[in-house]
Amino acid sequence: MTPSSACLYSGPHARSIIVGFNGGSVAFRPRLEQRSAVASQSPVLARVLALSVAGLLVASLGLLAPSGWIPSARAATTVVDTSMRTEAEIRARWNELKPTYTGTPYVVAPRVVAPYAPGETTAAFRNDGLKMLNFGRYLAGLPSDVTLTATRNLDAQYGAVLLTKEFSHTPARPADMSLEFYQRGYASTSSSNIGSGYSDLESFVKGCLADDSTSNVDRVGHRRWILNPGMLYTGVGYANSRLTNYAFDNSRPSDAVDYAYIAWPSAGLFPVEFASQSVPWSITLNPKMYDWDTTRAGHTATLRRVSDGKTWTFDAADTSTAGEYFNAEFGGYGSARNAFIFRPKAADLVGSYKAGEQYDVTLSGGIYAEGTRTPVAVTYRTSFCALSGATTVFGAPTIPGDIPPPFPSTRFSGTDRFGTAILASKAAFATGECDAVVIATGMNYPDALSGAGLAGVANAPILLVSGDVLRADVKAEIKRVTQGKASYKVYILGSAAAVTAKMETSIKNALTGESVERFSGTNRYHTAQLVAAKVKALQGASFGNKAILVPGLDYVDGLLAGPAAFTAKAPILLVGTTADAGLKNTLKSLGTTDLVVLGTTARIPVAVETSLKSGVPGLTTRRASNLTDTYARSAAAAEFFATASNGFGLTWAGVGIATAEKFPDGLGAGCVEGKLGTSLLLTKSTSLPSTISARITAHKDAIKSVRFYGSVSAVSGPVETLVRNLLK
């Protein structure tokens, strides 16, 4: 809702109605008069009912309140992925954010009788509440940088004072309270999580995250507001044990958080201190990646304790808030408008969740890949750890073999393409393993495509750069893989138009012991030829007779060739629609007799093969795939390179999945899969093509691990789920 939009907030106890937010001001009218006025301006009235509960109230909102005068902020994209965290990392973050203040709440105590005054809380008191909010967001994988603003804090103080007169999102105006004070207080109470009976803000926020009362478990609205991806600013208020926490902020840009789902407890390690037996589980799906049936029936959640195989199955029949419970809720708490909520019967947990326990979670039924009716399921494992004490140990199941482990899978998802390449490097290369690194621009593909063969023969990662200064994280990764080496090579792919001269200087200044060698041809084809010559030179007499030819005007086939080139230490050459003398001379110099061509005949015409064979003595060519459909060609190429008789050394023992819609993630995938000797398949970002699913199914008995490259915007959560389901 924009600041000038009109809307109606009313409740069963309301005496007035907020009818508009205009630059932060609100106007009040008697209920009947204003209802008519609003109806005349808009064909739809947005009505929000206040929900009264003991101790906590949640704003039950069908739409978001405006952020008022707080400007929208720009931020780097945060990828929600909690699966790879360590207990040490969680404990370190807790030590940064755990509440520590024990003093008085007030700088100036509020007046809760006429003449009313908002008062002011101490900064340390407020910050403890904010720290708890940010730690909750951290546990869910969301940006944990929400900040307080002075205006929101003051608004919240007005709201807290008003709550001392009536504990409701829509309290009536006390007879002795000025209209101005009431308006500001009402604007706060009707847009906040509110609480009563707490002596500090952090306990209140933790209670909101738990959301475990019988009055709230059906929607976990407090939790969903705190875990709203769009939250960036908030304010907190406190007066005589009444609390407000502004919840409607949606200032963070919609593209700043990349997630498939938001879970509580989250996937991966999760501290048991935030998961008592009464705390419900919840999963909120990203509407950009999933569709769902908006009915309570038809959805199913299962929770399986790994240690003994105890399994709970939740569905619409589980309606007891005092026992086993399930609900699918589609109200407007935050921006995603969905939550699938489930909770075992407390007696079944034998006390509570315990550190060292692991639970497999599956949400299925009535959930589809976005824009389709293709059913998908969400699956993950939650492992309970502790915020203090001895390191948590996760034991084997007490019934060996009864509970199969989740299919081994890994997602390499950095904050950007450069970070993803670093994660791929860390997966493929041990500390101090490398005598070289390969550097390519992350902004365009041609020069980087030829790097896989060079990386294979040099046993080196391909790392991406841009601009004129070497990033600190790329520098750190170069130092890690070359640790302990007195000297090592840095191979730069492309001219100064691709990797700038200033970047080369920055690399030299940042490192010690490096020897830089640049491959800079007159064009992309010439650069690939220079790299190919280096591939042969590094191998000497052991150099084979193979090379791979891919189109120079597209990246898909070059990505598909990457693992094979790495494993076979074979050069990748680029070609256009004609074969020039430079390519022929390079093939002669290499002594190539087995040229594998990968690409459509539109990209690499048959005439190119004919010309090369006539111009290069002893040359034979094989077309790995010329299928016009990208994904069918991906499947066929993977099959070709994994066929032993073709001599490239790949197998179906594992598989990498990367998007065909962008090039950067596939570059790192080539090194990892090549190092492992396994296959790479390219997919659509938001759906799994039938040719890819068929290939996975055909080799499911052989595939023992799967790796996904890039964030969920590159390879979506539903695609990951479909792949994992195929491999069960």
Side-chain angles (χ1 to χ4, degrees), residues 619-635:
L619 181 70
T620 61
T621 63
R622 296 184 286 165
R623 183 81 65 152
S625 175
N626 64 358
L627 297 173
T628 56
D629 178 77
T630 295
Y631 306 100
R633 195 163 71 256
S634 168

Side-chain angles (χ1 to χ4, degrees), residues 199 276 468 497:
S199 60
S276 71
D468 295 332

